[in-house]
Amino acid sequence: MSAEPSPQSPWQAATITRIEKRTPRVTSFWFQPSRPFVHLAGQHVDVRLTAPDGYQARRSYSIASAPGGGVELAIERLDDGEVSPFFHDVAAVGDEIELRGPLGGHFIWEESDGGPVLLVGGGSGVVPLMAMVRHRMLGNTAVPVALVFSARVWDEVIFRDELIGLDDRRDGFDLVLTLTREPARRPSDYSRRIDARMMAQAVERLPKAPKLAYVCGSNAFVSAAADALIGAGVPAGTIRTERYGV
Amino acid sequence: MVTRGFFSGRRPPSDTDARIPPGQYLEQGFPVLSAGPTPRVRTEDWSFTLKQGPRPIKKWNWAEFNALPQSKMTRDIHCVTAWTKFNTPWQGVMIDDILADAGIEPPTAYTLALSFDGYSTNVPTKDLVTGKAMVALLYEGKPITPDHGGPARLLVPHLYFWKSAKWVNGLQFTERDEPGFWELRGYHMYGDPWREQRYSSDP
Ligand SMILES: Cc1cc2nc3c(=O)[nH]c(=O)nc-3n(C[C@H](O)[C@H](O)[C@H](O)COP(=O)(O)OP(=O)(O)OC[C@H]3O[C@@H](n4cnc5c(N)ncnc54)[C@H](O)[C@@H]3O)c2cc1C
């Protein structure tokens, strides 16, 4: 296996240094790129797998870690998928995987962008939002951020303990969970799909109207959540979306 | 670099291989990509403007635009997020017919496609004319849904699909090759799928 990328190739080998199950369907993988880089919160990498006969599969994965905090990818297993089951079933610590990045110049949040910021994530769509939440925490900034995170059930809330720990600090970060197939567990939470009323209440948790809103998840989720934000009076021009596909 | 333990995958049958650009995979569905919420543009409010720099050359409303000669194009499309979809059937007005109705030849070598949501994307003018591109009004014989860019979207099928601007409302001819929305944000100025021109760092 040749680890050295050709000098002009944007692809590089990255070694898996740690693997940790986050939920029954989502596992985090940490990578050490051979040419380290610093990303912005919200960016993604492209990953490329190559079979012995040269066949390649490539997919995009958002970076969950804060800028400067290494490269953590949180990958949801789609049982009949091509790439995500490879990570869940085959990839092991020490393996080299080709990736390129960081990529994406729109769905990003830097401290200098300011706030308040409203984050809305569905399922693994929380991953780039997690990078923003962690970036805010490490930067020690007072920018008010509310995260509305929709998951099917409590046990599928990715980064749950970390998010609840951050929420408990009451330092301007507010977590709202909405479970679509289970009753709510915390007083501030919901148990239904995202709608305009929920978005209006999320906006009210911020000290003033959001300067920026970020929505990420499956295509259907993003369409519904972005429409709900507009229904709650959030101007379309402040809403940025990232769609994970079908 | 061969990946340990990665063998097959959802490999396309070999007779379709030649139609799939490098790094792409075959998709049966029709995923959606866009930078923001889906604008709902009513055809009553719709218009399409040809401009040279800031100067408007000609403007059509929905009825006028639909009265222009319409053509059909069935093409393979290639999204930068790595899916390729075969045989997508579109109907609309070829850019050649738009220029003919305005009574002009392409005035400059570069074009920015403009959209209702403020999005723009740059395409060399030669990639829009001589039967290469259209403003599509129908997909599979039906009005294009808002999430796929309806009422009208640009269709430049030989380039990555972000160049096929959704919710298009005009073409602006420019003297220089000016980057559009995604091109300012790291995507390639030209976007040829066969040369894998995804990001600005690609040759
Ligand atoms: C910018 C960006 C960031 C992303 N970030 C993340 C992230 O942080 N975490 C994450 O988990 N995902 C993320 N994704 C999604 C990710 O890129 C992959 O799409 C996802 O992992 C599925 O890939 P796969 O190869 O496992 O499944 P695929 O093989 O692509 O299949 C996807 C689905 O389509 C169906 N399907 C595909 N082909 C066929 C076929 N021929 N017949 C029938 N069904 C078919 C499969 O059943 C499967 O459910 C991101 C996507 C984008 C664009």
Side-chain angles (χ1 to χ4, degrees):
Chain A
M1 186 149 67
S2 72
E4 271 315 300
S6 59
Q8 68 276 35
S9 169
W11 293 95
Q12 60 164 316
T15 307
I16 300 179
T17 56
R18 189 177 144 207
I19 298 177
E20 193 184 305
K21 210 170 169 65
R22 294 272 185 198
T23 72
R25 309 174 49 81
V26 177
T27 296
S28 280
F29 301 82
W30 281 261
F31 293 84
Q32 177 60 52
S34 47
R35 285 177 275 134
F37 52 78
V38 176
H39 65 278
L40 302 172
Q43 284 188 305
H44 66 273
V45 293
D46 279 4
V47 165
R48 176 166 89 173
L49 309 180
T50 306
D53 64 356
Y55 172 81
Q56 294 186 323
R58 90 188 254 167
R59 297 291 185 275
S60 301
Y61 292 100
S62 305
I63 304 174
S65 29
V71 181
E72 175 190 354
L73 307 183
I75 300 179
E76 177 178 358
R77 186 196 165 96
L78 301 184
D79 290 334
D80 45 3
E82 181 175 18
V83 172
S84 61
F86 165 84
F87 276 98
H88 282 254
D89 303 343
V90 181
V93 170
D95 281 353
E96 281 189 329
I97 302 286
E98 270 186 302
L99 56 80
R100 72 178 290 188
L103 300 166
H106 176 60
F107 199 82
I108 49 181
W109 180 73
E110 296 179 81
E111 249 179 85
S112 56
D113 291 323
V117 179
L118 181 54
L119 307 175
V120 185
S124 57
V126 77
V127 175
L129 311 179
M130 193 64 198
M132 298 176 190
V133 169
R134 288 169 163 170
H135 182 47
R136 174 191 182 279
M137 193 262 298
L138 292 174
N140 247 323
T141 89
V143 175
V145 172
L147 167 64
V148 181
F149 181 6
S150 174
R152 286 185 294 196
V153 296
W154 181 251
D155 283 339
E156 287 186 8
V157 177
I158 314 166
F159 311 116
R160 188 181 68 207
D161 294 345
E162 185 178 345
L163 284 170
I164 290 175
L166 290 171
D167 192 26
D168 287 343
R169 291 156 58 130
R170 304 278 85 219
D171 68 350
F173 170 70
D174 223 351
L175 173 70
V176 180
L177 297 174
T178 182
L179 305 178
T180 55
R181 297 189 189 173
E182 256 182 26
R185 299 244 182 141
R186 309 183 313 154
S188 57
D189 294 346
Y190 299 89
S191 82
R192 61 173 199 262
R193 284 166 178 253
I194 282 174
D195 53 30
R197 196 157 58 89
M198 193 189 298
M199 289 297 102
Q201 288 168 354
V203 167
E204 276 167 24
R205 290 168 169 264
L206 295 167
K208 56 183 192 226
K211 182 181 176 202
L212 289 165
Y214 295 84
V215 185
C216 185
S218 69
N219 178 46
F221 176 85
V222 170
S223 297
D227 287 348
L229 280 170
I230 289 170
V234 177
T238 65
I239 305 172
R240 299 183 185 186
T241 61
E242 181 102 286
R243 298 167 191 259
Y244 278 2
V246 260
Chain B
M1 186 186 104
V2 172
T3 312
R4 183 193 69 80
F6 182 68
F7 294 108
S8 76
R10 200 176 291 126
R11 213 170 283 263
S14 57
D15 58 326
T16 66
D17 269 8
R19 286 169 67 183
I20 301 183
Q24 297 288 111
Y25 67 95
L26 194 57
E27 169 70 55
Q28 307 299 334
F30 196 163
V32 174
L33 261 177
S34 54
T38 299
R40 302 292 193 292
V41 184
R42 302 185 311 164
T43 52
E44 303 93 282
D45 304 327
W46 188 90
S47 67
F48 186 88
T49 310
L50 270 193
K51 291 189 211 173
Q52 180 164 1
R55 186 176 61 84
I57 301 171
K58 180 154 184 171
K59 186 171 178 172
W60 296 261
N61 67 22
W62 181 251
E64 290 160 350
F65 196 84
N66 275 267
L68 298 178
Q70 296 198 12
S71 309
K72 291 183 179 177
M73 271 176 112
T74 296
R75 293 287 186 281
D76 300 346
I77 54 174
H78 313 289
C79 178
V80 71
T81 61
W83 54 266
T84 282
K85 187 170 172 61
F86 285 167
N87 302 325
T88 64
W90 305 87
Q91 179 177 325
V93 183
M94 303 302 293
I95 307 300
D96 303 296
D97 290 323
I98 298 173
L99 293 176
D101 192 61
I104 59 165
E105 293 290 321
T108 65
Y110 300 101
T111 303
L112 271 176
L114 309 173
S115 293
F116 276 93
D117 61 340
Y119 172 92
S120 59
T121 189
N122 55 321
V123 184
T125 307
K126 70 170 171 34
D127 287 272
L128 295 175
V129 294
T130 61
K132 291 202 189 77
M134 66 163 46
V135 170
L137 303 169
L138 301 178
Y139 176 69
E140 290 183 329
K142 293 189 282 290
I144 302 172
T145 55
D147 59 333
H148 287 298
R153 81 177 293 162
L154 189 64
L155 177 70
V156 197
H158 65 288
L159 300 180
Y160 280 126
F161 211 45
W162 88 81
K163 295 284 183 183
S164 294
K166 294 178 174 186
W167 313 297
V168 71
N169 68 354
L171 294 179
Q172 178 175 24
F173 296 103
T174 59
E175 299 294 334
R176 296 180 305 109
D177 192 11
E178 294 179 25
F181 180 91
W182 289 114
E183 294 79 13
L184 284 168
R185 289 161 179 78
Y187 285 85
H188 198 274
M189 287 292 275
Y190 185 63
D192 179 354
W194 295 97
R195 288 185 278 165
E196 272 213 272
Q197 294 173 332
R198 296 171 197 272
Y199 305 107
S200 54
S201 55
D202 290 324

